[in-house]
Every structure is written in structure tokens, then in C-alpha cells.
Amino acid sequence: MFARTILSRQLLRPAFAAPAAARTSFLTSIQTRFLSDQTRQAIDKAVSSAPVVLFMKGTPETPQCGFSRASIQVLGMQGVDPAKFAAFNVLEDNELRQGIKEYSDWPTIPQLYIDKEFVGGCDIIVSMHQSGELAKLLEEKKVLAVEAEAAEEEAKKE
């Protein structure tokens, strides 16, 4: 009897299941409702605090997970100007840790934002680094330390 109930539920499920797109939009609207206005405003402020923002586990000096460490290393190799970079430790605030996932609709941490636009997590950052896309994006956004030094030298000449 129990096996029949499970089997009949499995057979009936596809007929009553909503299309994948409908389920996704429904979940997204529910997730959005769970993010309080206060948390959303705090995350908006954090994302706007610098041209390059990384939400990570730990700090740039002491990352608390391998993915956060890899993301910091990639940004360092790319030459991101420390004056144009901010990092937020999600381990210090559980509301931030959960809220950033809902804010970006991305399930993992770390999360990178460049000019207030969500770029992706560690896998995306590494992939963009390997393909050269990240270097191009950072150069376009003028957030590299080399560019800052060149601008300072030009200002001294004038």
C-alpha cells in the first residue's frame, strides 16, 4: 500500500507540476519577500561602497574558505586598486550571509560586484580570469592599481 502511494504520487506529480520557468519566478518572488527592506538597503549601501565589492567568508587578509581565498588571489593577480575595493565578511552577520544570496539570486559565497553589478561567484571569477574577460572588465571600469598610478603621474606632470 505504501509503495503504491509513493508510486501514484510520482506518476501524478508531472501532470500537476508547474513549468520550470513558473516555479523559478515563483521562488524568486518568495525569496525577495524574505529579504527585509532594512537588509536590502544595507546591501545596496555595501554594493555601492566601492567600485569592486566582494562578499566573502573571512577577510582579504584571513579568508575562511578556499573559494574566498581563490577570489581574493585572482583580484590580487589582476591588480585591483585597494582604494577601489571593499570586502564584507558574511560570517560576522548571519542576516548579511543569507540576505546577499537572496539579493543576487546566487546561492553561494563569495560574490563579486563591479560597479554595482553582480558578476558571479568564485567559479565565474576564475573562469573570467582564465579567459581574459575579467582583466578586460576591470580595465574598462578603471579599477586597476596601474591605471591609478598612471593617472597620478600624469597629474604631477601637469
Side-chain angles (χ1 to χ4, degrees):
M1 176 100 173
F2 183 70
R4 179 186 287 166
T5 305
I6 292 174
L7 181 61
S8 64
R9 285 183 188 160
Q10 289 174 341
L11 292 173
L12 292 175
R13 187 172 290 142
F16 295 108
R23 286 193 308 264
T24 303
S25 64
F26 177 73
L27 288 176
T28 302
S29 65
I30 288 176
Q31 289 172 336
T32 302
R33 280 190 254 149
F34 288 137
L35 188 59
S36 72
D37 289 338
Q38 182 180 5
T39 302
R40 181 174 300 283
Q41 289 171 357
I43 293 172
D44 282 338
K45 185 176 179 181
V47 167
S48 301
S49 67
V52 179
V53 176
L54 183 67
F55 292 90
M56 62 182 291
K57 292 180 181 176
T59 64
E61 297 79 22
T62 56
Q64 297 296 308
C65 84
F67 298 113
S68 292
R69 180 180 313 280
S71 299
I72 286 294
Q73 288 174 338
V74 166
L75 294 174
M77 286 188 284
Q78 290 289 330
V80 172
D81 184 352
K84 296 182 178 185
F85 173 76
F88 293 89
N89 182 359
V90 300
L91 297 177
E92 292 178 348
D93 183 350
N94 195 45
E95 196 168 334
L96 173 62
R97 184 177 185 173
Q98 295 308 316
I100 193 64
K101 294 174 186 179
E102 295 172 19
Y103 183 87
S104 63
D105 197 22
W106 191 260
T108 60
I109 295 167
Q111 294 186 11
L112 178 66
Y113 289 78
I114 298 177
D115 270 353
K116 303 176 192 170
E117 187 175 323
F118 177 66
V119 175
C122 182
D123 54 342
I124 304 295
I125 296 167
V126 170
S127 176
M128 289 178 71
H129 169 66
Q130 291 170 340
S131 72
E133 289 178 77
L134 185 58
K136 183 179 175 186
L137 177 62
L138 294 169
E139 189 175 322
E140 286 174 4
K141 300 297 183 175
K142 299 183 184 335
V143 295
L144 300 175
V146 175
E147 291 173 356
E149 291 171 9
E152 285 177 20
E153 286 181 25
E154 281 189 35
K156 288 178 185 178
K157 290 178 185 178
E158 295 175 0

